[in-house]
Each structure stands twice: as C-alpha cells, then as structure tokens.
Amino acid sequence: MSSRTMVILNEVIPAWRADGFKSKFENDEIKLLYSQYFFKQKLDMVVKFIIVLGLNALLFFIFYFAHSKKFLELLILVIVVFFICIVMFIELINTRSYSTKHLTLMSIAIWTVQCIMLYALIFFIPADQRTPSDHVALVVFITFVTYTMLPLSLIYTVALGLLLALSHALVTGLCAKQDTEHFSRQLIANILVYICSNLCGLYHHHLSEIAHRRTFLETRGYVKNQLELSQQKDQQESLLKSVLPEYIAKEMLADILENNNQREHAMNLQFRNIYIRKHDNVSILFADIVGFTKMASGCTAQELVKILNTLFGRFDDLAKKNKCMRIKILGDCYYCVCGVPDPDPNHAISSVLMAFDMITCIKEVRDNTRVEVNMRVGINSGPVLCGVLGLRKWQFDVWSDNVTIANHMESGGLSGRVHISAATKNCLPVDVQCEPGNGMERDKYIKEKQITSFLVLNPESSATQFEVLEKYRRVIAESQGANGEEEEEEESLNGVPVLAGLEGGHTNGVDQIGGGYFAAKKNNSKDDLSRNGNSVTDDEMTVHQYVGKWESVTPFAPANAANCNNDKNAKNVILKVGLFPMHASIAGRKGRNQVMNHQRDLDQEVNECMRKQVEDGRSQRHNETTEKIHRLSLRFKSSLTETDFQHLPDNMFKYYLACAFMVFLFIGAIQLCILPYRLITVIAFTSALVILSICVVVAMATPRFCECLRQFSAIITESNKIRVVLAILTTVIVYVVAFIQIISCKCTEGEDNSCNGVRTRDPTAQQCDFPMYFYISGMLAMLCSAVFLKFDHIIKDVLMVLAMVSYIVIMHVTHADIFDAHDEFLVTSVNKTLEEEKVNMLLLKEYGTVYLLMLGLALISLGFEVERTARVDFQQRRQAAEKKDQMEDFKTNNGILLRNLLPGHVAEHFMGCGKIGLYHEDHYNVGVMFASIPNFFAEFYAENDVNNNGIECMRVLNEIIADFDELLEKPKFNCIEKIKTIGATYMVAAGLTPKVVYDGSETDVDTYLCTLCEFAFAMQDCIKRINKHSFNNFQLRMGINHGSLVAGVIGATKPQYDIWGNTVNVASRMESTGKIGKIQITEDSSHKLDRYGFRFDDPHFVQVKGKGNMKARFLIDRVAS
C-alpha cells in the first residue's frame, strides 16, 4: 500500500471509532477549508433535492386535485412550497459565494419547509379521522434526505432527525382520534421506523463523510503534487543549469526522462551520448591568483572555503556582467570564456574588461589586507569545442588548441597585467592600446609554437585607454539592456577608474547581488576606498576578515535571488528554483526555521488554490475528469479505466451488507409488531434471516474466524462480480420480505362481498388492520438499496423501479381492497361512506404511491450523484497517483543529478533539512591521484574535416572517461571519489567519504592508498583494452600522494565540489613530472604501501614548485592476490 494511501486511511478510518465523528484535521485552516469544500460539494445534491421537493408538492397537488373538491388550502400550501423551491433553486444556481453558515441556514429552512408540509398534511385530515400512523412514510422520507442530501454537519442532521421523530410522535399521539385501542402497537412500530430511518441516514451520512474527506484529501494532495511537481521540474532544470549551459542541460534532461523506465541501467544506457558542440568565435580567459598560498596560509577549512566562495562568487558576478561564462575553478585559477553558448561579436573586448575587473577586485583585497596578492591573466581567441564528458561529476568544459594557448598565456604572463595572444589582439577594437608581451621569454610552449603575445595597457596608466574601455563597457551594458542608473554607477569617480562597479559599490554600501556585482559593505571610513584608490584600513585585518565583509551567495543559491524580494512569490524562491538547505553547524535553528517556513508557505499556497477551487464551485480538474465519463450511464469512456474501476476491491462492502441486514431486521420487527403473521411468512422470514446471516458472517469474517471464512471474505472484497451478486440477492430478499405478508392478508367481507373495514385485535388473524406499514416497509427496503454506495446505479435503479411498480400494482390492483378497507374504516367510524368521502380525501394507496415515488426520485438522484462522485474520485486518484509517480521520478532524477554534481555524502548534506550555509570539511590522510593521457591532445587530437573539427576525437575521450567512471561503480572502489576532469586529466581522491572515522590512524590511509593503487592499475588495464579495440596507443601518466586537505563546495552560479591543499598540489606535480606509462608516488606514500606487497623502483628526486627537490618512486607492480 502506498504511503499516500496510508495517509488517507490514517485520516479517514479512525472515524469508525467512538471518537470518529470528531474532526481529524490537525490544522484548523484545513478543517475550515474542508467544511467549505463539503458544503460546496453538496450544492448539486441540494439543487436536485429542491427539484424533487417541488415535484413532490406537484404530485400531492395532482392527486388532491383529482380526488378532492376542497383543495383550496392544499393549493395555497403547494403554491407556497413551490415558490420557495423556485426561489432557493434560482439562488443556488446564480450565487456561488456561500458561507458555511449561509448554507446551513438554507438547509434548515428546507427542512422546515418539509416539516410544514408534513404537519399541514396531517392537519388537512379531518380531526375525527386522524390516527397515530398518519404520514409516518413522509417522516421516513424527510429523515433520510436530511441526512443524505442536505449540506449539514452530523450534529445538525442527528438533532433534526430526532426532533422530527419526537415531534411527529407527539403530534400524532395527541391528535389521534382513531385506532386509539391499538396505539401502543402503532407507537412501537413508529419508533422502529424512526430508528431505522435515522440509522440508515446516519450510516449513509457517515460513509459519505468518509468519501468526501478522502476526496478532499486526494484533491488537496493532487494540488500539492502539482505544485511540488512544478517545483521539482524547476529544481531539476536549476540543478543542471547550475553547472551546464541551458542547451546542453535540456538535451541531457530529455535523455534522462526518456530513459526513466530503465533507471537502474541509466548510467550504462544514456550517458554514452556525447554532448559536445563547436563554437567558432570564442575568447578563453585563464586568471591565476598570484600569492594565493600565502593568502590562504593560516586559514581554517571554513575560512578558506568562505574566501574562495566569496571571491569566486564575485568573479562569477563580474563574468555575468561582462557576458562571460565561468567554465571551471582549478584550485586558485579562474577559467571562463566569452562567446559561449551564444555568439558574441564583442567576445574579445568583453574578456579584456573581465580581466581588468578581476585585477581591480584583487587590488582591493591587497590594499585592504596588506597581503601581496595579484592576478595574472591570459587570454586567447579562436574556435573551441564545448560540452560534457563522462558519466559522473559532470562539468561543462572547453577543449581545443586555443584553450592550451590561453592557459600558457596566463602562465607566461605578468602579475597585474592582461596577457593576450595575437589572435585576441586581432579581435579587439583598433583603439584598444597594447604593448609587446614577450611571452616567448617566459613560457616554453609559447616559444615552441612561436606565438606572438601582447600586454593590454592598464587603464590606470592611460586616461585614453580608460575612456576607450569605458566606451566599450557601455556598449556591452546596452547590449544587455542595462538602464541609465547602472551606467551612471559605472562612470568614474572624480576621474579615477571604477571598473565593474566595484568601487561604485563601496560608495553606496549596498550588496547588489542581483544587479551583477558584489559590493563590500560600508564599515565606517576604514572600508571605503579613497578617491585616489588608496585605502584606509586596519593593518591587522586578515583576508578572511575583509572578504567576510562581502555578502555572498551560497552554492545553489541563484544569483538573482535578491531581485525576487519584491515579487509576490519571493517567499517560494528557494523552494521553486531548487535550492538545497545546507550546513546546520552554521545556521542551526535559523536554517530549520527557514525550511519550516518554506513548507508552511507551500501549505498556504496549496490551501489558497483549494480555496479558489471551492469558491469557483467546480475545479478545472473536476470538470476535466467529468468529461471522461458518460453523462447518463456514468461509464468511463476509456474501457481500460472502466475495467480498473470495476476491479477495485471494496473493503466497505461488509458494512453495506451489515446495514442491509439491519434494515431487514427492522422490517421484520415492524411487521411482527403491527401486522398479522402466518406460517408461510414465518418460513419466509426465517429463510431470509438464515441466508442474509450467512452472507454477513462470511463477508465480515476476520482472522479470529476460521481460515476458510476469512478467505471467502477476502474473495468477496476483491471480486466485483461476487459483490454484485450478493448485493442484488440481498436487495431482492429485503424487497420481497417487505411485502410478502400482504399476500396472506384478507379483509372481513360484508354482505356485498366487499371489505367492511371491521378491526380485529387478533394478531394471528388474516385481516390487515394497518396496511400503511406495507408501503412503509417498502420504503425502508428502498433505503436498503441506497446503503450500497459502490453499487452500479443502473442496477440499483432497475431493482428499485421494479420494486416500486410491484408495490404500486399490489396496492392498486391485486390487494387494493385491503387499503380501501382502511379508508372505509375511517369514514364509517364517523357515520359516512367511502364513496361519499373519497372525492374529498386522498386514499391510502394513493398516499403510498406518492411517498414511494417521492423516495424513489430522491434515491435515484442520490445514487446517481454518489456513483458519479465515486467515479470522479477514482479518476482523480489515478491522476494524483500518476502525478505523484512523476514527482517521485523527478525526485529520483534530482538525486541522480545532484550525486553526479557532488559526492554522495555531500549531496545528502545539501539535501538534508535544516542545513544552510557553506559546505566545508577538513580531511586527514586522504589519497589523491591525477591521471592524464599526455599523448591525447599532443598526438591524437586534431581539428580538421576528417574528424568533424575534433568532435570525433572528443568522442573517443568521452568513451575513455566513461570507462574510468564505470570502474568507480565497482564496490571495491567505493571509497574513491571522482573530483573532476581537466582536459585529458582524470582526478580522484580516496578517503573523502564519511564511512570511516578520520582518526589519523595508519590503517585508514593504508586502505585508501591500496585501493587507489588498485584503481590506478585498473585504469591502465582499461586503457589497454581501449587501445586494443580502437587501434590507438594512449598512455597514462599518473601521480599519487596522500595527506591532509580541505574539501568544500564553492561558487554561486555554478557550484563546484573541489579539494585544496599541499597534498593536492604535490599529487599534481607527481603526475606532471612523471613518465608516460608510469605511476609516480611520493616516498612517504610508498613506505605505507611496502608492507602490502606493492613493488617500487629506487627513489629519485623531482623538482616540485614550492617544495624544491622531493623524493619519489615509481610503482612497478600490484599487490599479489
């Protein structure tokens, strides 16, 4: 059973207990909303009932008009009742804005009209002809329809039902002038009729209440699912778009949805597709923070992640402002492009402006912290390939020889300068001033390729250059639709260059996240840059303290969140765009409260949607569902849906049988009390009692009963055909029993062989003194058919019509003399004859006919509405289940997406409740490995027509990376986490998962290093297989190290999980200084592996930047099995 079904049952089924009549809604707002929903759902029933009431008045008028010469009083009554019905009908049709109180008062008014009609009919009877049983049948009708067709709460219906029974018993008892000697028998029979009609009404009302609650909960759940589904879609798109351009994100998302049914094989089936495109006119920018190691020294893990996230977050904003797109963060290197995914004719100048903005930003940090940091920027332009490689840890990347050149432009550049290639220089406007870059003197690759380079003249050193750059900045701003105020902010302050609005941000002290840049907050005069660019700051201020003053956006938070502050839906921004709550250690109670507020906002939005649907009377969903059902037969237009509906199990069927059995017992008791009985009737009742008792016992069998009966009960619950047979059998038996005694009734014959209406007190006599209890019993039998709520209304209606026709034929044809005898007794008792009086009175059999028709019309209307509601409810539950399945699919896909963006434990961290902030963690004794394919780009990769300008080469690299990713799926490598790919370099780390306690013990790191080495050998085997099948000669060059590092997630617009520290740097140097086909490992790490059977060659020295000469060894062979 689904969790959703369990929720509904938890809300509904307790209503069968003693406290079941109390509201089960914990939320008062939902309780009030349900009350409004309940009353609105009853409106159709009220309209139909008003029509039935009007028809009833018309029936009385017709019969009275046909038989009575004194109909003035009745005519007045009928006109009044009919007028009231028309007024209420028009009011209900034309008015939708009803309050619960309004509808309750209207329902009580309708009940009052019926009671007035009842007592008017009683007082229309001549005083000397009134009996204790006058119009008891009308009491049955009023009582049952009050419970079932009026929008009244249970307490009102019970009160009105009891009030009607007591008042009728009191009025008829005080006014009765005839049959007083049989008063006690009639009173007991009347009480039984009252109880039976009230119990049937109470039962029907209670089951309908359960159905309405379930429908309400399902409808509300459907609305909530719709909202959540929409949010899940937004979330899924946001997840992909946070790391991928929209066009690739859509393509990958379409593949994910297409393979939803094969989710368990999704990683093998769908991601072998290649998501790579070529872009021709692109500028590539690499920017490295010179002095980053010194800047980050002394920082804790939290402080380092905070610095990187805030700093690179500011760079992300600058990139957005300059129409650039960040590709990756490589340690302390920022890597972005311009002209992707949309072509940009200004890609070169935009990249140059981006470069100067970054230099200005770092200058601000340097001036305010006295830490010697700077930016070294390199730019190249040309065609590139963009896309995603592999199956895990998707990161958008660009590849081409031009990317390599841009990288060397950075490494061969100068601090604080923008180093560009001749290709970029040719793409710049002619008025941008440059000077020779002499990159060949500083970088071997540039020298080998004979690439001419230039340094763009800094705007601070030339007013002309400043004016030129500002001119093109305005051009770019205008192309982005920037308004005049933003342009004004970007103008210089008193002739001092203010690039990217950074210093401008200081002047107003506002953090303009949504506006395209961050600005440090004002903090007295110390935080303000002076007009000449110098700073007045505390010499002791650290980088962390200064950067901490910048407000930043945490990962997975949209850069434009601030712009949503004025939007009416701003409260749902985090939920709708797919943000994941984060670190409890940072936010604590604030984060949990935020999540609770979001959930509360969602509930309020759901309630608001439900309220609108209630006010509209019919929801669009309800109307759409109704269109799928035939108007008269109520069959679903879809045969499949109809079959599913017919095969639904019915756990309530045993209660239907129990209620029908109760009605049968009441009919028997009434007839036993008031009507004569003979052997044939005793046999009939006894047989019916046995049959129905067996049916009820079998249907209601529980595990306490014998296993055989319990199995039969389960079969009845599951089989619709068996239920239909039992329902028909039970209904027919009760119909027959209700009138079977009349067959044995005879009246006392007079001299003219006609009934003389003489009474007898002998209950064993064949004379029937009170024939009105026959059609009263028939009406109770009709109620029996109504209690089968999930029973085809056509079958019920056919059985009911046949029963009514049979009753009417018996009353008017076969046994009319019995009913005439009763009328004759009443008139002869006042010395009149029936022939004289019947033109002035409505005969008993005609009363019976009217009451049977009245109840029949009401029950047919009720049965139609009940089945229609059941079918609409079923269809809506199907739709809700489908939406919920879709939502679950989206949730699953979101989990897959998030786990392909972040490590599993980090993804769980971000998806946890009550967590908000930055993710960061110190790790000890972690193994890190870099594995590159040096000859891929050097020898294999080529951009020509043969290989589709390099795309087919990248397809091969995609297969290689995907095979490496598949290795990580093996259980023995579950402690290894892929960090990222950098070109043809594959980076992994072992020991980042939280499964092992990081206590610094050698056992942990030994296990990680052993597993990492095994993975290195597996990669070598994998590349050999690829070479064998592709006839290539790819070789791996790998480097391994272990030690401490910091892990975290940084970046506002493109969150990225990464690791930092000397351990990572040394591992990278082990790879870059190693040999092709070899695995180079630091000597410290090799010592930990000696004991496990790994073989190494002799130590050798390698030059490591920042470390000098380090001892390293090559791993020769794997551990023996």
Side-chain angles (χ1 to χ4, degrees):
M1 183 177 294
S2 67
S3 59
R4 180 169 184 75
T5 305
M6 291 300 298
V7 170
I8 294 171
L9 291 179
N10 290 336
E11 291 281 350
V12 174
I13 288 190
W16 286 99
R17 299 196 294 264
D19 63 343
F21 297 130
K22 299 178 181 178
S23 174
K24 296 299 173 183
F25 299 108
E26 297 180 359
N27 191 312
D28 291 338
E29 184 178 1
I30 298 179
K31 176 183 175 182
L32 177 61
L33 191 59
Y34 169 72
S35 298
Q36 297 171 350
Y37 171 86
F38 171 77
F39 283 98
K40 284 291 186 179
Q41 289 296 310
K42 283 280 190 176
L43 277 181
D44 280 349
M45 197 76 77
V46 175
V47 172
K48 292 179 180 179
F49 175 64
I50 290 174
I51 295 173
V52 171
L53 187 60
L55 292 176
N56 293 341
L58 190 59
L59 279 174
F60 272 112
F61 174 75
I62 292 172
F63 275 99
Y64 264 101
F65 185 80
H67 291 275
S68 178
K69 295 178 181 178
K70 302 176 181 179
F71 62 87
L72 181 60
E73 299 90 344
L74 179 66
L75 179 60
I76 295 173
L77 174 64
V78 169
I79 291 174
V80 171
V81 172
F82 211 74
F83 177 77
I84 293 174
C85 291
I86 291 174
V87 170
M88 288 190 292
F89 177 79
I90 294 175
E91 184 74 8
L92 283 171
I93 293 298
N94 294 334
T95 307
R96 292 180 179 269
S97 57
Y98 280 101
S99 65
T100 301
K101 183 178 180 181
H102 188 176
L103 290 172
T104 301
L105 292 176
M106 178 172 284
S107 300
I108 294 175
I110 294 173
W111 178 84
T112 304
V113 169
Q114 295 180 89
C115 291
I116 293 173
M117 190 173 178
L118 167 66
Y119 294 119
L121 291 173
I122 292 176
F123 286 106
F124 281 160
I125 301 173
D128 51 3
Q129 296 180 22
R130 295 169 188 161
T131 68
S133 58
D134 286 338
H135 298 292
V136 173
L138 187 54
V139 175
V140 174
F141 171 80
I142 296 173
T143 300
F144 190 75
V145 298
T146 300
Y147 277 99
T148 58
M149 300 186 75
L150 294 181
L152 292 170
S153 61
L154 190 62
I155 188 171
Y156 281 107
T157 55
V158 172
L160 295 178
L162 294 177
L163 178 61
L164 178 61
L166 292 174
S167 61
H168 181 267
L170 183 64
V171 170
T172 54
L174 294 176
C175 297
K177 300 298 182 182
Q178 296 291 333
D179 287 337
T180 53
E181 67 275 16
H182 302 289
F183 179 79
S184 59
R185 292 172 60 192
Q186 294 183 75
L187 179 61
I188 293 173
N190 290 348
I191 291 174
L192 292 174
V193 172
Y194 300 150
I195 294 174
C196 183
S197 57
N198 273 276
L199 287 178
C200 285
L202 180 64
Y203 166 88
H204 195 289
H205 185 283
H206 191 59
L207 287 187
S208 298
E209 174 80 6
I210 293 176
H212 280 299
R213 286 194 177 213
R214 183 185 62 198
T215 303
F216 171 77
L217 292 172
E218 289 285 351
T219 303
R220 188 176 183 277
Y222 177 88
V223 172
K224 188 172 184 178
N225 282 348
Q226 285 286 78
L227 292 175
E228 289 181 342
L229 181 61
S230 175
Q231 293 163 3
Q232 289 292 334
K233 288 180 179 178
D234 293 340
Q235 190 178 82
Q236 193 173 82
E237 292 178 2
S238 176
L239 278 173
L240 275 176
K241 291 176 183 178
S242 67
V243 291
L244 303 173
E246 185 173 357
Y247 71 93
I248 287 185
K250 287 183 177 180
E251 189 177 349
M252 296 183 74
L253 191 59
D255 287 341
I256 292 172
L257 297 178
E258 183 180 351
N259 293 280
N260 245 352
N261 295 331
Q262 302 177 355
R263 187 180 301 114
E264 65 275 14
H265 302 297
M267 302 306 293
N268 293 327
L269 293 176
Q270 65 193 32
F271 298 123
R272 288 299 178 127
N273 296 337
I274 188 168
Y275 305 100
I276 294 178
R277 290 189 182 180
K278 182 184 178 183
H279 296 269
D280 290 323
N281 299 310
V282 178
S283 287
I284 308 104
L285 180 150
F286 280 84
D288 187 61
I289 302 177
V290 180
F292 175 80
T293 303
K294 182 178 180 181
M295 181 180 73
S297 62
C299 293
T300 64
Q302 178 180 350
E303 291 172 347
L304 179 60
V305 173
K306 172 80 173 183
I307 291 172
L308 290 173
N309 182 72
T310 306
L311 189 60
F312 289 139
R314 176 171 285 193
F315 290 168
D316 286 345
D317 257 357
L318 294 174
K320 179 180 178 182
K321 187 175 186 65
N322 290 292
K323 302 176 68 174
C324 297
M325 181 173 67
R326 189 245 293 171
I327 300 299
K328 283 185 179 180
I329 297 171
L330 306 174
D332 59 345
C333 180
Y334 191 88
Y335 168 23
C336 66
V337 297
C338 184
V340 175
D342 299 320
D344 184 1
N346 300 316
H347 59 88
I349 187 62
S350 294
S351 299
V352 169
L353 292 173
M354 172 69 181
F356 281 120
D357 287 347
M358 297 172 76
I359 291 172
T360 304
C361 180
I362 288 296
K363 179 179 182 296
E364 181 184 339
V365 175
R366 181 176 67 251
D367 291 343
N368 284 274
T369 62
R370 306 293 178 167
V371 175
E372 289 301 321
V373 291
N374 213 327
M375 292 297 294
R376 186 174 60 231
V377 184
I379 303 175
N380 182 43
S381 301
V384 296
L385 298 178
C386 303
V388 177
L389 294 179
L391 308 179
R392 312 178 98 199
K393 302 300 180 295
W394 302 319
Q395 291 182 0
F396 186 70
D397 207 346
V398 295
W399 309 273
S400 78
D401 295 333
N402 291 307
V403 176
T404 305
I405 294 172
N407 190 8
H408 285 278
M409 283 293 118
E410 177 272 315
S411 61
L414 298 175
S415 297
R417 301 299 301 271
V418 180
H419 191 207
I420 66 174
S421 66
T424 302
K425 172 70 167 58
N426 294 334
C427 296
L428 287 174
V430 294
D431 51 352
V432 176
Q433 302 176 35
C434 299
E435 59 187 13
N438 301 320
M440 297 181 190
E441 300 175 2
R442 298 183 296 272
D443 188 272
K444 293 182 180 180
Y445 181 87
I446 297 176
K447 184 177 181 179
E448 289 175 3
K449 299 295 182 179
Q450 291 296 301
I451 301 171
T452 305
S453 65
F454 299 88
L455 293 172
V456 182
L457 194 64
N458 282 350
E460 294 178 353
S461 61
S462 169
T464 303
Q465 180 80 327
F466 170 77
E467 292 175 358
V468 169
L469 294 181
E470 285 300 297
K471 178 182 69 174
Y472 289 111
R473 185 182 301 283
R474 285 191 292 271
V475 170
I476 295 172
E478 289 172 0
S479 67
Q480 291 180 309
N483 56 39
E485 292 180 358
E486 291 176 332
E487 294 175 7
E488 210 172 295
E489 288 177 358
E490 292 169 5
E491 292 291 345
S492 60
L493 295 178
N494 296 329
V496 178
V498 184
L499 298 176
L502 292 174
E503 288 86 344
H506 282 282
T507 61
N508 55 31
V510 178
D511 177 36
Q512 303 187 38
I513 299 174
Y517 59 90
F518 293 101
K521 283 188 174 181
K522 274 188 176 181
N523 186 13
N524 301 322
S525 59
K526 292 182 180 181
D527 294 332
D528 293 329
L529 291 178
S530 64
R531 292 184 176 180
N532 59 9
N534 296 326
S535 61
V536 182
T537 183
D538 190 343
D539 292 340
E540 301 300 323
M541 182 177 291
T542 65
V543 174
H544 173 255
Q545 290 172 336
Y546 179 70
V547 173
K549 295 177 180 294
W550 300 350
E551 291 190 6
S552 62
V553 181
T554 56
F556 296 102
N560 61 349
N563 287 340
C564 299
N565 290 336
N566 297 325
D567 186 80
K568 63 180 180 180
N569 294 322
K571 61 185 179 181
N572 293 321
V573 165
I574 292 182
L575 189 59
K576 288 185 176 180
V577 299
L579 304 184
F580 291 93
M582 302 174 194
H583 206 285
S585 64
I586 296 178
R589 184 179 301 172
K590 179 180 179 181
R592 289 189 292 273
N593 291 340
Q594 191 173 16
V595 173
M596 292 174 62
N597 289 337
H598 295 156
Q599 183 61 38
R600 190 157 48 245
D601 291 338
L602 176 62
D603 289 337
Q604 290 175 357
E605 191 172 354
V606 172
N607 292 341
E608 186 62 29
C609 291
M610 284 293 295
R611 188 173 292 107
K612 289 180 180 178
Q613 290 188 7
V614 170
E615 290 173 355
D616 292 341
R618 292 285 188 186
S619 67
Q620 180 182 358
R621 169 174 168 257
H622 186 281
N623 294 333
E624 291 175 353
T625 304
T626 306
E627 291 175 358
K628 299 177 182 179
I629 301 174
H630 290 288
R631 293 185 179 275
L632 294 179
S633 67
L634 295 181
R635 294 292 189 272
F636 287 107
K637 295 178 181 179
S638 168
S639 58
L640 179 61
T641 305
E642 179 65 28
T643 301
D644 291 342
F645 179 77
Q646 295 294 344
H647 285 83
L648 275 179
D650 188 358
N651 294 318
M652 306 299 290
F653 184 76
K654 55 188 176 184
Y655 299 112
Y656 305 157
L657 280 179
C659 187
F661 185 65
M662 177 199 72
V663 174
F664 165 78
L665 294 179
F666 271 101
I667 291 175
I670 291 168
Q671 296 194 2
L672 182 65
C673 175
I674 201 71
L675 298 174
Y677 49 89
R678 293 180 62 197
L679 180 61
I680 185 174
T681 57
V682 173
I683 293 175
F685 267 98
T686 303
S687 301
L689 179 64
V690 172
I691 294 173
L692 293 181
S693 298
I694 292 174
C695 292
V696 172
V697 169
V698 172
M700 301 196 70
T702 63
R704 296 181 180 178
F705 287 73
C706 67
E707 182 64 22
C708 180
L709 290 180
R710 191 189 66 79
Q711 291 179 358
F712 277 119
S713 176
I715 292 173
I716 292 173
T717 300
E718 296 293 332
S719 175
N720 179 64
K721 293 181 179 179
I722 295 177
R723 294 198 302 270
V724 169
V725 171
L726 287 178
I728 293 175
L729 176 65
T730 303
T731 305
V732 170
I733 288 176
V734 177
Y735 278 147
V736 171
V737 166
F739 250 64
I740 192 171
Q741 288 207 60
I742 200 171
I743 299 175
S744 61
C745 284
K746 294 182 180 180
C747 61
T748 304
E749 296 181 354
E751 296 177 357
D752 56 352
N753 295 325
S754 64
C755 293
N756 58 17
V758 177
R759 295 292 198 200
T760 176
R761 296 190 179 187
D762 183 7
T764 62
Q766 297 182 24
Q767 181 180 345
C768 297
D769 295 337
F770 307 103
M772 74 284 296
Y773 288 98
F774 284 117
Y775 64 74
I776 292 173
S777 297
M779 293 177 69
L780 295 178
M782 291 166 66
L783 298 186
C784 172
S785 69
V787 300
F788 287 93
L789 298 183
K790 293 184 180 178
F791 187 30
D792 193 315
H793 81 285
I794 294 179
I795 300 177
K796 282 197 294 187
D797 294 347
V798 169
L799 293 176
M800 192 181 302
V801 170
L802 290 176
M804 285 193 297
V805 170
S806 301
Y807 295 164
I808 292 172
V809 169
I810 290 173
M811 289 189 297
H812 286 269
V813 180
T814 61
H815 293 73
D817 53 348
I818 296 175
F819 293 88
D820 292 339
H822 173 78
D823 294 328
E824 186 174 348
F825 168 75
L826 294 179
V827 297
T828 55
S829 63
V830 292
N831 300 319
K832 295 180 181 179
T833 63
L834 183 60
E835 290 296 327
E836 295 174 351
E837 285 294 314
K838 69 180 182 179
V839 295
N840 298 320
M841 61 182 291
L842 197 62
L843 301 179
L844 182 62
K845 58 189 177 184
E846 291 164 347
Y847 272 122
T849 301
V850 172
Y851 290 139
L852 286 172
L853 291 175
M854 286 172 57
L855 186 60
L857 287 173
L859 292 182
I860 289 173
S861 176
L862 177 64
F864 183 89
E865 190 65 27
V866 167
E867 182 168 349
R868 188 179 66 84
T869 301
R871 287 177 175 270
V872 171
D873 181 37
F874 168 75
Q875 181 65 17
Q876 292 177 349
R877 285 203 304 274
R878 281 171 63 98
Q879 294 174 356
E882 291 173 359
K883 292 297 181 183
K884 185 176 181 182
D885 289 342
Q886 291 181 23
M887 187 179 67
E888 292 298 329
D889 289 340
F890 273 108
K891 285 183 178 179
T892 303
N893 290 335
N894 285 348
I896 294 174
L897 292 176
L898 192 58
R899 287 168 180 80
N900 276 287
L901 305 179
L902 304 171
H905 66 285
V906 180
E908 292 297 331
H909 170 90
F910 277 86
M911 294 173 71
C913 292
K915 299 178 181 180
I916 189 167
L918 295 173
Y919 173 81
H920 54 82
E921 191 168 3
D922 285 312
H923 290 277
Y924 307 97
N925 293 327
V926 176
V928 181
M929 182 180 75
F930 286 81
S932 69
I933 309 175
N935 60 337
F936 181 86
F937 283 104
E939 301 174 4
F940 179 77
Y941 180 81
E943 298 174 0
N944 51 50
D945 295 336
V946 175
N947 54 40
N948 194 12
N949 294 312
I951 291 181
E952 296 307 317
C953 297
M954 296 308 300
R955 189 184 300 276
V956 175
L957 183 59
N958 181 62
E959 292 297 318
I960 296 173
I961 300 299
D963 285 348
F964 292 166
D965 289 343
E966 284 182 344
L967 289 177
L968 293 175
E969 297 293 329
K970 294 183 178 181
K972 66 178 180 179
F973 297 135
N974 60 4
C975 68
I976 299 177
E977 195 67 50
K978 176 183 177 183
I979 305 301
K980 58 189 170 185
T981 58
I982 310 163
T985 301
Y986 196 82
M987 178 183 176
V988 295
L992 296 175
T993 57
K995 296 179 181 179
V996 181
V997 178
Y998 300 111
D999 55 3
S1001 66
E1002 292 187 350
T1003 304
D1004 292 338
V1005 69
D1006 292 355
T1007 302
Y1008 298 148
L1009 281 175
C1010 288
T1011 305
L1012 203 57
C1013 291
E1014 287 291 338
F1015 183 69
F1017 288 125
M1019 291 178 70
Q1020 287 183 334
D1021 293 339
C1022 182
I1023 204 72
K1024 289 177 183 178
R1025 288 194 301 270
I1026 292 173
N1027 288 335
K1028 180 179 179 180
H1029 291 94
S1030 65
F1031 304 102
N1032 285 302
N1033 187 31
F1034 298 123
Q1035 297 291 322
L1036 287 173
R1037 184 177 67 201
M1038 291 180 274
I1040 297 176
N1041 186 32
H1042 84 280
S1044 302
L1045 54 81
V1046 175
V1049 179
I1050 60 172
T1053 58
K1054 287 189 177 182
Q1056 177 180 320
Y1057 178 81
D1058 210 343
I1059 55 179
W1060 304 272
N1062 285 328
T1063 300
V1064 181
N1065 295 335
V1066 171
S1068 176
R1069 297 299 178 182
M1070 288 295 104
E1071 179 274 321
S1072 62
T1073 60
K1075 295 181 180 180
I1076 292 179
K1078 298 285 187 178
I1079 304 171
Q1080 185 169 243
I1081 186 170
T1082 58
E1083 186 178 38
D1084 290 343
S1085 299
S1086 67
H1087 289 328
K1088 292 184 176 295
L1089 296 172
D1090 283 335
R1091 73 183 81 172
Y1092 296 102
F1094 287 95
R1095 293 190 302 113
F1096 300 89
D1097 68 354
D1098 295 332
H1100 58 273
F1101 288 95
V1102 294
Q1103 182 67 31
V1104 176
K1105 183 180 178 180
K1107 294 286 186 179
N1109 289 328
M1110 288 188 64
K1111 280 188 177 182
R1113 303 169 72 183
F1114 288 114
L1115 179 60
I1116 297 175
D1117 201 357
R1118 71 184 70 198
V1119 64
S1121 301

